[in-house]
Amino acid sequence: MTKEETFPLHRCIFRNDVEGLNKILKDEEASKLINTKDNHGNTPLHLALMLDRRNCVLSLLRNSDCDCVTRNNYGWNPLEEATMLGDMDLIEKLTMLKFRDYRKFFGKKGGIIDKWNESLPNFHFKAHLKFKSKIPLLDKIGIKDSENFYKRGNDFRFDIGFSGVDLRGIPRMIKGSMSFIINFKENGSVRLLLLDNKAKRYTELYPELPQGMMESYLKTKMDVKTLFKFYGDFSKFRVKKKSAKGFGFNNKKRVIKINGNKKYNTDIFKFKDLGVITRKRDNEEVIGDYKSHIKTTVRDLDKSRMTGLDGSSLNKEINQTLFAGSEKQIRGYIMEDIIKQEKELSGTDSDSDSDDSDIEDDAKSESTNESHTNKLIEADNEFKKFIDENIYNITSVNNEVTDKIIQMIINGKDSNGNPIEKSDILYVNQIVPSFYSAYLKENHLPADQQKKLEEIIKNIVQNGEDYSNIEKSTKDNKILNNIKNSNNVTSLVHNFAGTYYNNSKKSSSSKSVIYEETKKEAISEEEYFDPKNTESLHMGRVMEISEERRHAKNVFKVWLTKENAFPLNTYQFMPIIEIFCLILYDQVNIKPEDNNYDRGIYYNVANHILQEIGATKRFPLKFEIPIFAGTVFQYKFAEIDTDEKGIPESLFKVPSDYLYDETVSFKFIK
């Protein structure tokens, strides 16, 4: 092979030869090289973005096979490289093409979903989610939900019981009913929908993302100066089965009820000693056609994050998948027998469902937030249904609908003359927690009506409690400020990542990046493509990269059924975890023959955990993750069903009385 035949696409980009690049891309055989990595771990798209060759990038993106997901050796994907360039047009294109790559991977025949259908074609689960905290301020946010997940062949639906966050005053979850529906078609196409079941409206998220939602997303990418990445150090990671203590009294805490009153004895497993590495990339500038000058204290930037279970870097190729194992292990039981065994299984005599948690149960909680501790109020009359129908109006205090609702409450009657009950007033607060306080601050009302409304809110909504001091205390709370300063989910994640990094920095003894003059080290085409030059190489930027490490002693706790006591096993639900990790680690376009560090760690750790917990014989009924001192995230299954009859096809379609509305979204109300 001649010099000109090696990495022809990369060479055109290196020279900024757009015409030559387009000519090669028209050749069917040559265009197959579009995702080939060069000796430095960069695809043509990576190189074009790093060198800010915009026209080359556009030429590559016109090819439907261009990989817009995979990371380079330094761990950055194309969208992240474009974000640091600040090119909004490229960010928008790469975002949609990234979803295209997800669709192609998950929708292909013989792929992960088809394999999942072989072991578990249909199922539904209902689960309870909650953040339990001993910190009153955090407890008042009211993060508590019941969720439903449905799968019927290639159709999926996920229901949640909240529709946003009210950021006026103390941040609180907005109660609602939202559904995500994904339909994978036989021809490989995918449709993703978002439904607001209270407002009876829906919008399409894919293949056509609403322009307003895209604009909101792009705002979070404007003038971005910092990127964060998280990696795990598994060198000391271990799975420990918790032993039963005492004379059986603590065993009550290991009995979990599911599907009504069916009780199952469980074993508790703890995942311990995980190192969390936060990598920060910032203070970046474009310097042209030079080697990137990376100012850092991190050794071996391309490999430092790759620490495996044995304490060494993982560099061996791992071709197995989480579906490895016998058909019997994966399938567990013949599907026709699952429902039958569910009916035959009986639990223990214990009537306790205690959670073995260090955080007290809600029943014992000292929280005074009634909307958090009480049961949800249902829309059982015309007034509440009017609230549901106008949910998109009442998020603002400056409109006629809001004024109308306030007058009904003050007068004690709705528009039809029906009395306004206490539950009606609380229902509005349940839907939009800061509705009343935000309205009162505007002083729209005459003095006598303002005073009357204040009395109603104080006695019914606040239950006589003065919230003013609590709201003042939120100003210096970093966790709450992260929420309040967010405009959407993307900015919320970025804000929390920044706070986590800064907290890690305060608690560590790591060195800061020392200031040094920017170096512009030129590299010729011959030097770049020299076969002997195989070092990981970034181009065209000056940047700072730093890392902070934190040790999490208690990572995760899971309650698993006794061996062979439940008609399903963990393996049958592993595709959920695998799909999540493939997206999280940008793995959807990685081929089995590719030597990839991130995938190696993922498979190594996942298979280690599955072996340690006996995944072919057990099923998890509850999870608990400590977030920080005094606060845990808990997820507990309440119902699990695999009968197709209980999962009708209508669940995966938009009801005929729903209206299309591009403004449907997860709301952040300020």
Side-chain angles (χ1 to χ4, degrees), residues 201-254:
R201 303 183 188 190
Y202 77 98
T203 191
E204 184 177 83
L205 300 180
Y206 188 85
E208 296 295 333
L209 185 70
Q211 189 59 34
M213 196 174 293
M214 175 58 79
E215 289 173 359
S216 176
Y217 165 76
L218 291 176
K219 284 180 181 178
T220 67
K221 300 296 183 181
M222 291 179 65
D223 300 320
V224 169
K225 304 297 183 185
T226 307
L227 289 178
F228 294 98
K229 285 279 192 179
F230 292 91
Y231 303 99
D233 178 355
F234 295 93
S235 57
K236 297 180 180 179
F237 178 77
R238 57 198 174 99
V239 179
K240 180 182 179 182
K241 182 180 177 182
K242 187 175 180 180
S243 59
K245 296 181 180 179
F247 298 95
F249 298 109
N250 278 346
N251 287 342
K252 292 181 179 181
K253 297 184 177 183
R254 296 167 179 257

Side-chain angles (χ1 to χ4, degrees), residues 140 170 172 368-370 461-463 465-472:
K140 287 183 180 295
I170 301 172
R172 290 188 178 91
T368 56
N369 181 9
E370 288 198 356
V461 178
Q462 298 176 352
N463 200 24
E465 181 180 359
D466 184 3
Y467 274 38
S468 58
N469 290 331
I470 298 175
E471 293 198 13
K472 289 178 183 177

Side-chain angles (χ1 to χ4, degrees), residues 318-319 587 590-592 594 596-603:
I318 299 178
N319 292 327
Q587 298 288 299
I590 298 296
K591 295 179 175 60
D594 293 338
N596 184 273
Y597 285 110
D598 287 327
R599 187 191 55 190
I601 286 184
Y602 160 58
Y603 282 136

Side-chain angles (χ1 to χ4, degrees), residues 613-667:
I613 67 174
T616 60
K617 300 177 181 180
R618 299 176 182 271
F619 186 80
L621 296 182
K622 187 168 74 169
F623 309 88
E624 199 169 88
I625 304 173
I627 307 301
F628 33 76
T631 303
V632 297
F633 165 80
Q634 187 185 93
Y635 202 80
K636 180 180 177 183
F637 289 112
E639 298 174 12
I640 296 179
D641 183 19
T642 57
D643 188 354
E644 185 182 53
K645 295 178 181 178
I647 311 170
E649 292 183 4
S650 59
L651 280 173
F652 309 98
K653 299 177 181 178
V654 178
S656 59
D657 59 341
Y658 279 38
L659 298 176
Y660 182 79
D661 184 349
E662 288 191 352
T663 65
V664 172
S665 65
F666 190 82
K667 296 176 284 293

Side-chain angles (χ1 to χ4, degrees), residues 19-44:
E19 185 177 343
L21 178 65
N22 289 332
K23 184 177 180 180
I24 295 174
L25 289 172
K26 289 179 181 178
D27 183 279
E28 188 173 338
E29 286 301 314
S31 67
K32 292 180 180 179
L33 302 173
I34 193 167
N35 298 320
T36 301
K37 286 189 175 182
D38 60 29
N39 295 328
H40 311 291
N42 298 313
T43 66

Side-chain angles (χ1 to χ4, degrees), residues 506-565:
K506 290 178 181 178
S507 61
S508 72
S509 57
S510 60
K511 298 179 181 179
S512 300
V513 176
I514 300 174
Y515 173 78
E516 56 183 273
E517 292 292 336
T518 299
K519 299 175 184 177
K520 289 188 176 181
E521 186 178 351
I523 182 171
S524 67
E525 180 180 338
E526 184 176 353
E527 290 172 325
Y528 185 91
F529 294 102
D530 184 349
K532 297 178 182 178
N533 184 4
T534 58
E535 66 172 337
S536 296
L537 190 60
H538 198 281
M539 295 289 293
R541 314 289 175 86
V542 56
M543 69 180 79
E544 292 181 6
I545 294 182
S546 54
E547 283 184 355
E548 296 299 335
R549 295 172 179 250
R550 295 186 76 174
H551 174 254
K553 184 172 180 61
N554 296 307
V555 182
F556 193 72
K557 187 158 61 173
V558 59
W559 283 251
L560 288 151
T561 57
K562 296 287 186 179
E563 292 188 358
N564 301 319

